[in-house]
Amino acid sequence: MTWHNQIDLEHCDDSSTHGASSHSPMTPGLTNTYDAELREKAGMHTPPPPPECMGLEGEYDTFGLVHRLAETLDQQPDLAAIDTVTLTQHGSAICLSGSVEDSAVLDRIVDIANHLDGTREVDVSQVSVA
């Protein structure tokens, strides 16, 4: 199973919930860093999508942030096999639900999510640590 199979699109929405606020298309995520290569691809579109709506190739994707998170998590050998966490996106917020066996795993997922261009919040209130 891949992380892409763990995206719950039925519960994703493009509103600014969970304290996330709307921001300019050039505002980076929580770490104040940009994904320069993806921004360059996104800049080829008119108008360029905001960071939370940049797809895997810079195209407009309403839930691009959660798709990019799933892609990044699939590339992590120590996280690729986790199938007990569900991902959703609400505007520029990533929400995780489910369970993990170790808080270090959750911390690693949150750190990765925080480093994605466009992330404004990572909500882990629905994740239990066994």
Side-chain angles (χ1 to χ4, degrees):
M1 177 177 268
T2 69
W3 280 95
H4 285 281
N5 295 333
Q6 293 168 237
I7 298 172
D8 184 0
L9 291 175
E10 289 184 23
H11 290 98
C12 290
D13 66 61
D14 57 0
S15 65
S16 297
T17 59
H18 291 89
S21 60
S22 54
H23 48 280
S24 78
M26 291 308 292
T27 303
L30 287 169
T31 59
N32 207 29
T33 57
Y34 293 101
D35 181 339
E37 183 179 328
L38 189 59
R39 288 283 179 121
E40 186 175 327
K41 289 179 183 179
M44 299 171 94
H45 300 276
T46 305
E52 67 272 15
C53 296
M54 285 189 301
L56 298 173
E57 295 297 323
E59 77 283 9
Y60 183 90
D61 178 352
T62 303
F63 304 118
L65 182 58
V66 75
H67 286 127
R68 287 184 285 123
L69 175 58
E71 181 79 10
T72 304
L73 293 174
D74 278 338
Q75 296 171 3
Q76 308 302 311
D78 57 327
L79 301 176
I82 294 173
D83 61 359
T84 56
V85 175
T86 301
L87 309 172
T88 57
Q89 177 180 341
H90 300 280
S92 57
I94 293 288
C95 301
L96 309 174
S97 60
S99 63
V100 293
E101 293 184 19
D102 184 357
S103 63
V105 170
L106 181 58
D107 291 344
R108 183 139 154 66
I109 294 170
V110 169
D111 184 57
I112 290 169
N114 282 336
H115 280 84
L116 290 177
D117 197 352
T119 302
R120 287 305 211 188
E121 181 182 354
V122 180
D123 179 0
V124 296
S125 63
Q126 298 177 33
V127 178
S128 62
V129 179

